[in-house]
Amino acid sequence: MRRMQRALSLIYPDQCVLCRSLVDRPGALCATCWSDTPFLVGLVCDLCGAAVQGEADGFAVHCDDCLVLPRPWAAGRAALSYRGAARRLVLALKHGDRMDLALPAAQWMLTAGQQILGKAPVLVPVPIHWSRRLKRRYNQSAVLARAMSQMSGHTLAADALRRLRRTPPQDGMSVDARFANMADALDADPVKGKVLRGRDVCLIDDVMTSGATLAAAAEACHNAGATRVSVLVLARVEKTP
């Protein structure tokens, strides 16, 4: 098997997942793309993972958004800031059929979320409406959650939540409009949602902007009896200074 893998690597050398430059292992970024990919490290908001200025002082750290907006979850993290190469990566996964991006993205998310995942969380992807799934052929959040489950061994509840109605795209909406748009849009599946009762749940999504969709999903998890809800996303939209 190893000889076959070495032979294949000579014929099909590993390439950067973004620019196709040669790299030393599958699913890696080249040096240039790595430097253009804004990983969220250092001091971050405890509720959404956005970068925060200052120093840790032993108290909970919250960004400006999370100081103003109530979050119906206990903790949150993001792997990337939604800009530069990270934005291209997210859009390629979401709209470009780049399923190969799920594995490196899932690894980055597991690394970012190691402090909030706990010992035995149930990974629950944020659902999309069946009509959008029919058109897109997959739910990118479920693809990420499945890859994370395979890597970590955490339980996956891919269909625990359902979207009750097809909500309009939220691009260009105000924060209030986004929350109104998501009101009563999600709930737990009457059968498959039972797995959430008494469990720690980690919601998985590709991007967090205002948090309206994640808030609706978190409330659905609480209504289904989840003990604790956290959120973990691939990318967080941050305000520009």
Side-chain angles (χ1 to χ4, degrees):
M1 179 62 72
R2 290 181 179 178
R3 289 181 179 179
M4 183 179 295
Q5 290 175 340
R6 284 197 295 269
L8 288 173
S9 67
L10 293 175
I11 302 172
Y12 305 106
D14 296 323
Q15 297 177 322
C16 171
V17 297
L18 280 177
C19 75
R20 301 307 185 187
S21 297
L22 297 184
V23 292
D24 59 359
R25 65 185 185 281
L29 293 166
C30 69
T32 300
C33 289
W34 180 271
S35 64
D36 191 38
T37 303
F39 289 90
L40 285 167
V41 296
L43 189 63
V44 296
C45 174
D46 288 325
L47 288 175
C48 74
V52 177
Q53 299 295 321
E55 299 180 359
D57 56 8
F59 297 96
V61 177
H62 294 157
C63 67
D64 291 344
D65 284 349
C66 292
L67 285 172
V68 175
L69 295 171
R71 304 297 193 188
W73 60 78
R77 290 293 187 275
L80 309 169
S81 178
Y82 188 67
R83 54 188 170 82
R87 184 176 183 276
R88 298 199 306 273
L89 188 148
V90 170
L91 292 176
L93 174 63
K94 187 171 185 176
H95 299 296
D97 289 335
R98 287 291 308 277
M99 309 294 280
D100 58 299
L101 295 173
L103 289 177
Q107 185 59 67
W108 300 334
M109 292 172 71
L110 286 170
T111 299
Q114 57 187 341
Q115 293 181 332
I116 69 168
L117 282 170
K119 294 182 179 179
V122 178
L123 304 182
V124 178
V126 172
I128 60 177
H129 193 261
W130 66 265
S131 60
R132 283 203 171 93
R133 184 169 181 174
L134 185 65
K135 181 179 180 180
R136 194 180 297 166
R137 294 181 287 106
Y138 61 91
N139 174 6
Q140 70 278 0
S141 300
V143 171
L144 289 169
R146 185 171 294 107
M148 292 173 63
S149 175
Q150 292 170 348
M151 290 179 177
S152 65
H154 296 319
T155 300
L156 172 65
D159 300 312
L161 299 183
R162 60 182 183 174
R163 193 171 288 241
L164 301 177
R165 55 186 174 83
R166 178 167 175 152
T167 53
Q170 302 199 118
D171 295 345
M173 287 188 181
S174 66
V175 172
D176 289 343
R178 286 171 179 263
F179 277 84
N181 187 44
M182 291 305 302
D184 301 319
L186 303 177
D187 75 352
D189 183 90
V191 176
K192 297 178 180 178
K194 291 180 180 179
V195 70
L196 306 181
R197 182 169 296 279
R199 299 294 300 273
D200 285 355
V201 171
C202 184
L203 288 167
I204 307 300
D205 208 358
D206 57 342
V207 180
M208 175 182 172
T209 304
S210 66
T213 302
L214 286 163
E219 289 168 356
C221 290
H222 285 304
N223 291 338
T227 302
R228 181 180 184 272
V229 178
S230 58
V231 302
L232 181 55
V233 299
L234 176 57
R236 172 71 163 106
V237 176
E238 298 184 290
K239 293 180 179 178
T240 55

